[in-house]
Amino acid sequence: MINRRKFLVASAVSAVAIGSNKIFAATSFAQTSNKDDAIARYQKKVGDSFYLRAEGISSKVTLAELRDVKEDKQTQQFTLVFETNDSDISEGLCSATHLKSFDSEFIRVEQSNSEKGKLISTFCLLK
């Protein structure tokens, strides 16, 4: 049988567990939302080398510029332009590793239709 003391202890432990879960979730959400935005992160890396890896193909490329930068309260839109001498890079999903910081992420690249030796990757991100 449960007495008043056990009931109060169980209720207090439950309240602390529920409250701490919300506090930790809010803290981690605030940390991710306060990171510098993607535009600023890539703007710092213009002129740096990246290593692109896809199925069976890898190549060193240079981030030449950011184009079509549009930013509002809800979205960030921009296009990364990479320069390369390698014509074997296929269009599609690849892993891009920044050679100075070794940060890696998956991006979708495609050959530029208007400029030879350039790869582009277009982003439309929610904030």
Side-chain angles (χ1 to χ4, degrees):
M1 176 162 228
I2 192 165
N3 61 18
R4 183 174 176 205
R5 184 176 186 165
K6 287 182 180 178
F7 175 76
L8 290 175
V9 168
S11 298
V13 168
S14 297
V16 168
I18 290 170
S20 64
N21 188 20
K22 289 183 180 181
I23 290 170
F24 291 132
T27 303
S28 66
F29 177 74
Q31 288 173 349
T32 57
S33 63
N34 286 337
K35 287 184 179 176
D36 36 339
D37 57 20
I39 294 172
R41 193 172 68 237
Y42 281 112
Q43 197 74 25
K44 294 175 190 173
K45 297 177 181 177
V46 170
D48 290 350
S49 295
F50 286 77
Y51 191 67
L52 298 182
R53 288 183 309 270
E55 287 185 31
I57 298 173
S58 60
S59 179
K60 183 178 174 185
V61 297
T62 303
L63 180 58
E65 63 178 310
L66 270 72
R67 286 188 190 158
D68 307 324
V69 176
K70 296 175 188 158
E71 186 172 13
D72 57 30
K73 290 183 195 176
Q74 297 176 343
T75 61
Q76 295 180 345
Q77 300 175 22
F78 58 96
T79 300
L80 300 177
V81 180
F82 294 98
E83 293 178 342
T84 181
N85 295 328
D86 191 358
S87 60
D88 292 337
I89 296 178
S90 60
E91 296 181 349
L93 188 66
C94 67
S95 172
T97 303
H98 183 236
L99 294 181
K100 285 185 181 175
S101 65
F102 294 106
D103 291 337
S104 288
E105 57 187 297
F106 287 104
I107 61 172
R108 176 170 168 48
V109 295
E110 48 191 60
Q111 297 283 344
S112 174
N113 293 331
S114 59
E115 298 172 276
K116 191 173 183 172
K118 303 246 177 159
L119 299 169
I120 59 172
S121 181
T122 304
F123 290 80
C124 183
L125 306 172
L126 293 175
K127 286 188 178 179

